[in-house]
Amino acid sequence: MSRHVAIVTDSTAYLPPRTMDRHGITSVPLTVVLGDEALEEGTEISTRSLAQALQKRRPVTTSRPSPERFAETYRQVAESGATGIVSLHLSAELSGTYDAAVLAAQDAPVPVRVVDTGMIAMALGFCALAAAEVAESGGTVDEAVAAAEKRAEGTAAYFYVDTLDYLRRGGRIGAAQALLGSALAVKPLLQLNGGRIEPLEKVRTASRAIARLEEIAADRAGAAQVDIAVHHLAAPDRASALADRLRSRVRGLADLHVSEVGAVIGAHTGPGLLGVVVSAR
Protein backbone atom coordinates (compact mmCIF):
# COMPACT_ATOMS: atom_id res chain seq x y z
CA MET A 1 0.00 0.00 0.00
CA SER A 2 1.70 3.19 -1.23
CA ARG A 3 1.88 6.28 0.96
CA HIS A 4 0.96 9.41 -0.92
CA VAL A 5 -0.95 12.68 -1.04
CA ALA A 6 -4.36 12.04 -2.59
CA ILE A 7 -6.40 14.47 -4.69
CA VAL A 8 -10.18 14.65 -4.33
CA THR A 9 -12.47 16.87 -6.39
CA ASP A 10 -16.16 16.90 -7.32
CA SER A 11 -18.13 15.91 -10.39
CA THR A 12 -18.35 19.47 -11.75
CA ALA A 13 -14.66 19.31 -12.71
CA TYR A 14 -15.75 17.22 -15.72
CA LEU A 15 -12.42 15.45 -15.98
CA PRO A 16 -12.46 12.45 -18.35
CA PRO A 17 -12.62 9.19 -16.34
CA ARG A 18 -9.43 7.96 -18.01
CA THR A 19 -7.61 11.11 -16.92
CA MET A 20 -8.80 10.71 -13.33
CA ASP A 21 -7.71 7.08 -13.28
CA ARG A 22 -4.28 7.93 -14.70
CA HIS A 23 -3.66 10.60 -12.07
CA GLY A 24 -5.41 8.88 -9.17
CA ILE A 25 -8.01 11.65 -8.72
CA THR A 26 -11.20 10.79 -6.82
CA SER A 27 -14.47 12.59 -7.62
CA VAL A 28 -17.44 13.11 -5.31
CA PRO A 29 -20.73 13.52 -7.24
CA LEU A 30 -23.21 16.33 -6.88
CA THR A 31 -26.90 15.55 -7.26
CA VAL A 32 -29.52 16.65 -9.76
CA VAL A 33 -33.13 16.59 -8.60
CA LEU A 34 -35.74 16.03 -11.32
CA GLY A 35 -39.13 16.53 -9.73
CA ASP A 36 -38.85 14.34 -6.64
CA GLU A 37 -36.10 12.07 -8.01
CA ALA A 38 -32.51 12.65 -6.82
CA LEU A 39 -29.87 11.44 -9.29
CA GLU A 40 -26.08 11.49 -9.00
CA GLU A 41 -24.23 13.41 -11.67
CA GLY A 42 -22.11 11.27 -13.91
CA THR A 43 -23.71 7.92 -13.15
CA GLU A 44 -27.47 8.24 -12.76
CA ILE A 45 -28.46 11.02 -15.17
CA SER A 46 -27.27 11.76 -18.70
CA THR A 47 -26.98 15.19 -20.23
CA ARG A 48 -29.49 14.13 -22.89
CA SER A 49 -32.06 13.27 -20.22
CA LEU A 50 -31.39 16.59 -18.53
CA ALA A 51 -31.75 18.57 -21.78
CA GLN A 52 -35.06 16.85 -22.48
CA ALA A 53 -36.31 17.64 -18.98
CA LEU A 54 -35.33 21.30 -19.33
CA GLN A 55 -36.97 21.61 -22.72
CA LYS A 56 -40.18 20.20 -21.21
CA ARG A 57 -39.80 22.74 -18.36
CA ARG A 58 -39.76 20.02 -15.71
CA PRO A 59 -38.60 21.24 -12.29
CA VAL A 60 -34.81 20.76 -12.05
CA THR A 61 -32.62 21.66 -9.07
CA THR A 62 -29.16 20.65 -7.88
CA SER A 63 -27.78 19.62 -4.51
CA ARG A 64 -24.34 19.42 -2.93
CA PRO A 65 -22.87 16.11 -1.74
CA SER A 66 -23.59 15.43 1.92
CA PRO A 67 -20.82 15.73 4.52
CA GLU A 68 -21.33 12.00 5.10
CA ARG A 69 -20.53 11.28 1.45
CA PHE A 70 -17.32 13.27 1.75
CA ALA A 71 -16.45 11.54 5.04
CA GLU A 72 -16.82 8.13 3.38
CA THR A 73 -14.64 9.23 0.46
CA TYR A 74 -11.91 10.53 2.76
CA ARG A 75 -12.00 7.28 4.74
CA GLN A 76 -11.65 5.18 1.59
CA VAL A 77 -8.82 7.31 0.25
CA ALA A 78 -6.99 7.09 3.59
CA GLU A 79 -7.40 3.31 3.60
CA SER A 80 -5.80 3.19 0.15
CA GLY A 81 -2.60 4.61 1.67
CA ALA A 82 -2.98 8.38 1.55
CA THR A 83 -1.15 10.26 4.30
CA GLY A 84 -2.85 13.53 3.38
CA ILE A 85 -5.68 14.71 1.14
CA VAL A 86 -6.14 17.84 -0.97
CA SER A 87 -9.86 18.33 -1.64
CA LEU A 88 -10.49 20.82 -4.46
CA HIS A 89 -13.99 22.08 -5.23
CA LEU A 90 -16.15 24.37 -7.29
CA SER A 91 -16.71 27.93 -6.19
CA ALA A 92 -18.36 28.31 -2.80
CA GLU A 93 -20.26 31.23 -4.35
CA LEU A 94 -22.11 28.73 -6.54
CA SER A 95 -22.56 25.68 -4.29
CA GLY A 96 -22.43 24.43 -0.73
CA THR A 97 -20.06 21.64 -1.79
CA TYR A 98 -17.03 23.32 -0.20
CA ASP A 99 -18.85 23.71 3.12
CA ALA A 100 -19.83 20.03 3.14
CA ALA A 101 -16.22 19.03 2.48
CA VAL A 102 -14.97 21.27 5.31
CA LEU A 103 -17.39 19.62 7.76
CA ALA A 104 -16.26 16.14 6.74
CA ALA A 105 -12.57 17.06 6.90
CA GLN A 106 -12.80 17.81 10.61
CA ASP A 107 -13.09 14.11 11.49
CA ALA A 108 -11.12 12.58 8.62
CA PRO A 109 -8.55 9.89 9.53
CA VAL A 110 -5.75 11.84 7.79
CA PRO A 111 -5.18 15.59 7.37
CA VAL A 112 -7.41 17.13 4.69
CA ARG A 113 -6.92 20.55 3.10
CA VAL A 114 -10.18 21.72 1.52
CA VAL A 115 -9.77 24.40 -1.15
CA ASP A 116 -12.40 26.68 -2.64
CA THR A 117 -10.85 27.11 -6.08
CA GLY A 118 -13.40 29.71 -7.16
CA MET A 119 -13.63 27.69 -10.38
CA ILE A 120 -16.05 25.36 -12.12
CA ALA A 121 -15.97 22.84 -15.00
CA MET A 122 -12.50 22.30 -16.49
CA ALA A 123 -11.34 25.49 -14.77
CA LEU A 124 -11.62 23.31 -11.67
CA GLY A 125 -10.36 20.27 -13.54
CA PHE A 126 -7.11 21.98 -14.52
CA CYS A 127 -6.54 22.88 -10.84
CA ALA A 128 -7.04 19.25 -9.85
CA LEU A 129 -4.60 18.10 -12.52
CA ALA A 130 -1.97 20.59 -11.36
CA ALA A 131 -2.28 19.32 -7.78
CA ALA A 132 -2.19 15.69 -8.93
CA GLU A 133 1.02 16.22 -10.90
CA VAL A 134 2.72 17.61 -7.79
CA ALA A 135 1.40 14.74 -5.66
CA GLU A 136 2.61 12.18 -8.19
CA SER A 137 6.11 13.61 -8.00
CA GLY A 138 6.17 13.17 -4.22
CA GLY A 139 5.03 16.66 -3.28
CA THR A 140 3.47 17.57 0.04
CA VAL A 141 -0.09 18.67 0.75
CA ASP A 142 1.06 22.30 0.92
CA GLU A 143 2.88 22.00 -2.41
CA ALA A 144 -0.13 20.43 -4.10
CA VAL A 145 -2.43 23.16 -2.75
CA ALA A 146 -0.01 25.85 -3.94
CA ALA A 147 0.05 24.32 -7.43
CA ALA A 148 -3.75 24.28 -7.59
CA GLU A 149 -4.02 27.86 -6.38
CA LYS A 150 -1.41 29.05 -8.87
CA ARG A 151 -3.28 27.31 -11.68
CA ALA A 152 -6.53 28.95 -10.58
CA GLU A 153 -4.90 32.38 -10.71
CA GLY A 154 -3.95 31.81 -14.35
CA THR A 155 -7.32 30.42 -15.43
CA ALA A 156 -10.30 32.20 -16.96
CA ALA A 157 -13.71 30.87 -17.96
CA TYR A 158 -16.15 32.44 -20.41
CA PHE A 159 -19.65 31.31 -21.33
CA TYR A 160 -22.26 31.85 -24.02
CA VAL A 161 -25.85 30.89 -23.20
CA ASP A 162 -28.89 31.04 -25.44
CA THR A 163 -30.95 32.45 -22.59
CA LEU A 164 -30.44 33.65 -19.02
CA ASP A 165 -33.69 32.07 -17.94
CA TYR A 166 -32.12 28.92 -16.49
CA LEU A 167 -29.48 30.87 -14.57
CA ARG A 168 -32.18 33.18 -13.26
CA ARG A 169 -34.33 30.27 -12.11
CA GLY A 170 -31.41 28.69 -10.28
CA GLY A 171 -30.31 31.94 -8.63
CA ARG A 172 -26.79 31.59 -10.06
CA ILE A 173 -26.38 34.76 -12.10
CA GLY A 174 -25.56 37.34 -9.40
CA ALA A 175 -24.68 40.61 -11.08
CA ALA A 176 -25.81 39.18 -14.41
CA GLN A 177 -29.35 40.04 -13.36
CA ALA A 178 -28.57 43.45 -14.85
CA LEU A 179 -28.94 41.79 -18.24
CA LEU A 180 -32.39 40.36 -17.64
CA GLY A 181 -34.30 43.39 -18.82
CA SER A 182 -32.93 43.01 -22.32
CA ALA A 183 -32.30 39.27 -22.32
CA LEU A 184 -34.79 38.62 -25.11
CA ALA A 185 -33.05 41.08 -27.43
CA VAL A 186 -29.45 39.98 -26.89
CA LYS A 187 -27.25 36.94 -26.60
CA PRO A 188 -25.31 37.22 -23.33
CA LEU A 189 -21.64 36.43 -22.77
CA LEU A 190 -20.73 35.70 -19.16
CA GLN A 191 -17.51 35.20 -17.23
CA LEU A 192 -16.43 33.61 -13.98
CA ASN A 193 -15.17 36.41 -11.76
CA GLY A 194 -14.38 36.10 -8.07
CA GLY A 195 -16.14 32.74 -8.05
CA ARG A 196 -19.36 34.27 -9.38
CA ILE A 197 -20.99 34.24 -12.81
CA GLU A 198 -21.11 37.82 -14.05
CA PRO A 199 -21.97 39.61 -17.30
CA LEU A 200 -19.20 40.25 -19.79
CA GLU A 201 -20.87 41.51 -22.97
CA LYS A 202 -24.24 41.71 -24.69
CA VAL A 203 -24.22 40.71 -28.34
CA ARG A 204 -27.10 40.91 -30.80
CA THR A 205 -26.90 37.52 -32.51
CA ALA A 206 -25.80 34.01 -31.61
CA SER A 207 -23.22 33.87 -34.41
CA ARG A 208 -21.66 37.15 -33.32
CA ALA A 209 -21.67 36.06 -29.67
CA ILE A 210 -19.81 32.86 -30.50
CA ALA A 211 -17.32 34.82 -32.62
CA ARG A 212 -16.73 37.15 -29.67
CA LEU A 213 -16.29 34.15 -27.37
CA GLU A 214 -13.51 32.94 -29.66
CA GLU A 215 -11.89 36.37 -29.79
CA ILE A 216 -11.99 36.81 -26.02
CA ALA A 217 -10.48 33.36 -25.41
CA ALA A 218 -7.72 33.91 -27.98
CA ASP A 219 -6.89 37.31 -26.52
CA ARG A 220 -6.72 35.82 -23.03
CA ALA A 221 -4.37 33.08 -24.25
CA GLY A 222 -2.03 35.51 -26.00
CA ALA A 223 1.32 33.90 -26.75
CA ALA A 224 1.55 32.01 -23.44
CA GLN A 225 1.52 28.22 -23.18
CA VAL A 226 -2.06 27.35 -22.28
CA ASP A 227 -4.50 24.50 -21.99
CA ILE A 228 -8.00 25.13 -23.31
CA ALA A 229 -11.29 23.37 -22.70
CA VAL A 230 -14.38 23.90 -24.84
CA HIS A 231 -17.59 22.90 -23.11
CA HIS A 232 -21.11 22.63 -24.47
CA LEU A 233 -24.57 21.33 -23.68
CA ALA A 234 -26.48 19.79 -26.59
CA ALA A 235 -24.36 21.80 -29.06
CA PRO A 236 -21.61 19.40 -30.25
CA ASP A 237 -21.24 20.87 -33.74
CA ARG A 238 -20.84 24.42 -32.42
CA ALA A 239 -18.28 23.20 -29.87
CA SER A 240 -16.27 21.23 -32.43
CA ALA A 241 -16.15 24.16 -34.85
CA LEU A 242 -15.10 26.56 -32.09
CA ALA A 243 -12.37 24.15 -30.95
CA ASP A 244 -11.02 23.86 -34.50
CA ARG A 245 -10.79 27.63 -34.84
CA LEU A 246 -9.01 27.97 -31.49
CA ARG A 247 -6.52 25.25 -32.47
CA SER A 248 -5.46 27.27 -35.49
CA ARG A 249 -5.55 30.61 -33.69
CA VAL A 250 -3.84 30.06 -30.31
CA ARG A 251 -0.09 29.85 -30.85
CA GLY A 252 0.85 28.53 -27.40
CA LEU A 253 -1.82 25.84 -27.23
CA ALA A 254 -0.65 22.76 -25.32
CA ASP A 255 -3.79 20.64 -24.82
CA LEU A 256 -7.35 21.22 -25.97
CA HIS A 257 -10.28 19.33 -24.46
CA VAL A 258 -13.80 19.28 -25.91
CA SER A 259 -16.56 17.92 -23.70
CA GLU A 260 -20.22 18.19 -22.89
CA VAL A 261 -20.89 19.55 -19.42
CA GLY A 262 -22.65 17.37 -16.90
CA ALA A 263 -26.13 17.70 -15.53
CA VAL A 264 -25.29 20.05 -12.65
CA ILE A 265 -23.97 22.90 -14.81
CA GLY A 266 -26.46 22.06 -17.53
CA ALA A 267 -29.35 22.47 -15.11
CA HIS A 268 -28.36 26.11 -14.58
CA THR A 269 -27.39 27.06 -18.14
CA GLY A 270 -29.76 25.16 -20.38
CA PRO A 271 -29.18 23.63 -23.83
CA GLY A 272 -27.03 25.66 -26.22
CA LEU A 273 -24.32 26.48 -23.72
CA LEU A 274 -20.82 27.07 -25.06
CA GLY A 275 -17.97 27.63 -22.65
CA VAL A 276 -14.24 28.19 -23.04
CA VAL A 277 -11.72 27.73 -20.26
CA VAL A 278 -8.22 29.15 -20.81
CA SER A 279 -5.62 27.98 -18.30
CA ALA A 280 -1.98 29.06 -18.33
CA ARG A 281 0.54 26.33 -17.60
Side-chain angles (χ1 to χ4, degrees), residues 26-277:
T26 301
S27 177
V28 178
L30 276 73
T31 299
V32 176
V33 182
L34 289 181
D36 58 358
E37 189 177 14
L39 304 166
E40 286 191 351
E41 181 175 45
T43 57
E44 296 180 340
I45 180 170
S46 68
T47 50
R48 176 174 293 184
S49 297
L50 171 77
Q52 291 172 347
L54 291 172
Q55 289 163 348
K56 294 176 181 176
R57 300 189 71 83
R58 288 184 61 191
V60 180
T61 58
T62 58
S63 176
R64 72 179 190 179
S66 68
E68 291 76 19
R69 183 62 183 266
F70 272 112
E72 175 63 14
T73 298
Y74 295 154
R75 183 189 64 77
Q76 291 175 349
V77 169
E79 287 179 354
S80 75
T83 56
I85 298 170
V86 177
S87 200
L88 302 158
H89 300 291
L90 80 159
S91 171
E93 294 281 349
L94 302 175
S95 169
T97 300
Y98 168 80
D99 294 331
V102 168
L103 285 173
Q106 295 173 3
D107 297 318
V110 296
V112 180
R113 285 279 299 279
V114 183
V115 179
D116 172 12
T117 65
M119 300 283 121
I120 197 166
M122 272 299 292
L124 168 59
F126 287 133
C127 293
L129 286 173
E133 288 168 0
V134 169
E136 287 174 292
S137 66
T140 65
V141 165
D142 287 346
E143 290 168 339
V145 169
E149 291 177 339
K150 181 178 180 182
R151 193 70 186 251
E153 289 173 3
T155 298
Y158 308 102
F159 308 96
Y160 160 81
V161 291
D162 278 333
T163 173
L164 287 169
D165 188 44
Y166 298 104
L167 284 162
R168 178 189 59 77
R169 283 191 239 166
R172 294 305 196 278
I173 53 174
Q177 292 198 35
L179 290 174
L180 283 174
S182 56
L184 294 178
V186 301
K187 293 299 182 180
L189 292 178
L190 309 171
Q191 64 179 336
L192 193 61
N193 184 31
R196 297 179 297 275
I197 297 172
E198 295 186 345
L200 181 60
E201 292 184 10
K202 294 179 286 185
V203 185
R204 285 293 176 185
T205 66
S207 60
R208 181 56 185 153
I210 294 168
R212 278 296 294 147
L213 184 65
E214 176 189 338
E215 290 170 5
I216 291 164
D219 288 347
R220 170 72 188 207
Q225 187 178 35
V226 297
D227 295 322
I228 290 179
V230 175
H231 289 304
H232 72 93
L233 180 63
D237 293 340
R238 278 180 173 178
S240 178
L242 176 57
D244 287 343
R245 293 194 299 272
L246 287 170
R247 280 192 187 97
S248 63
R249 185 166 182 169
V250 177
R251 289 168 295 178
L253 181 63
D255 286 329
L256 192 149
H257 306 260
V258 181
S259 65
E260 192 165 33
V261 298
V264 167
I265 289 182
H268 295 291
T269 62
L273 163 77
L274 276 182
V276 180
V277 176

